[in-house]
Amino acid sequence: MSARAQTVRLSPARHRTLSGLAGQRGLSEYAMLARIVDAGFVAVTDGVAREADAREIAVEVAAIAERLADVERVLDRALFTACAAYAYARHAALGTKKPDEVIAAEARAAFVRQRALAMEIEP
C-alpha cells in the first residue's frame, strides 16, 4: 500500500543529478526519486542503529580498558611481591645482617628493573 505522493522540490543542480541518474539506470525521474527516498530512509534508520552500536562498543571498550588497568595493578603487585621475596630469601640464604630498609630498597630496585624489562624500556 502506497501513501499519497507529495510534491518534492529539488534545486536545479539536484534535478539535473536526478535526471542523470535516472537516464543511466533507464528509469523515469519519478522511479529514480522513489529509489533515492528509499535509500535515504535506509541510510537514516541504519545510521541511528550504527550510532547505537558505536555507543555500545565504546562502553564495552571502556569496560575492557578498566579491567585491563586492574589486571596491570595486580600484576605489578605480584611482581613486587616476587622481587621482595627474592630479596629477603637471598639475604637470608647469604646470612647478611642488613636492615629491612636496605633489603626493601633492593626489592624496589629489582621491581623497577624487572618492570622496565617487561615494558621494554630503560630503567
Side-chain angles (χ1 to χ4, degrees):
M1 177 179 244
S2 169
R4 192 176 129 233
Q6 300 292 318
T7 300
V8 177
R9 296 188 189 274
L10 298 174
S11 67
R14 286 196 174 149
H15 185 260
R16 283 190 299 275
T17 302
L18 175 67
S19 295
L21 290 171
Q24 288 173 356
R25 289 172 174 78
L27 299 171
S28 68
E29 289 181 4
Y30 183 81
M32 189 69 231
L33 181 60
R35 285 190 179 185
I36 290 171
V37 169
D38 288 342
F41 276 119
V42 169
V44 169
T45 57
D46 282 356
V48 171
R50 286 188 187 121
E51 288 173 14
D53 290 345
R55 280 192 299 273
E56 289 174 13
I57 290 169
V59 168
E60 290 301 319
V61 168
I64 291 168
E66 187 176 323
R67 291 188 70 186
L68 189 58
D70 291 342
V71 169
E72 186 176 7
R73 282 191 294 276
V74 169
L75 288 173
D76 278 349
R77 288 178 62 100
L79 177 61
F80 179 78
T81 302
C83 290
Y86 172 78
Y88 279 96
R90 182 175 177 272
H91 285 283
L94 294 174
T96 62
K97 301 293 183 204
K98 293 184 180 179
D100 278 348
E101 292 80 19
V102 172
I103 299 171
E106 290 177 6
R108 277 191 293 280
F111 167 75
V112 169
R113 283 191 309 273
Q114 292 302 314
R115 190 153 198 287
L117 288 170
M119 303 289 283
E120 296 183 9
I121 57 174
E122 304 261 341

